[in-house]
Amino acid sequence: DTVLPEVSRAAIVPLVIGPEQAARDASAALADSGFLVSPIRPPTVPQGTARLRISITRNVTKGDIGALSESLDRIMIPA
């Protein structure tokens, strides 16, 4: 399963992916699933630490979080 931070009180949750292209690909795949999750790439972050910027707003439901988690599992661990 995808590992997200256990507790976060922040509205932005970073998910470190690693390679820049992998973060771009994950962002595109999430967009295909209906999620707008931006890739954060160098020079904003150090080389090799590209990440996804997951923004949680007050309108996000537990169902949305579950669907995002399932999408991340499919993307991060291809069949």
Side-chain angles (χ1 to χ4, degrees), residues 5-71:
E6 280 187 43
V7 176
S8 178
R9 296 186 186 271
I12 298 171
V13 180
L15 178 59
V16 177
I17 302 296
E20 180 177 347
Q21 189 59 50
R24 286 183 184 194
D25 293 345
S27 176
L30 287 169
D32 289 344
S33 295
F35 297 100
L36 178 60
V37 177
S38 300
I40 307 301
R41 313 174 313 269
T44 305
V45 296
Q47 197 70 257
T49 66
R51 59 203 71 197
L52 297 176
R53 181 181 191 265
I54 301 169
S55 299
I56 309 296
T57 66
R58 68 185 309 165
N59 298 328
V60 173
T61 67
K62 287 182 182 180
D64 294 333
I65 298 294
L68 174 61
S69 178
E70 289 174 11
S71 292

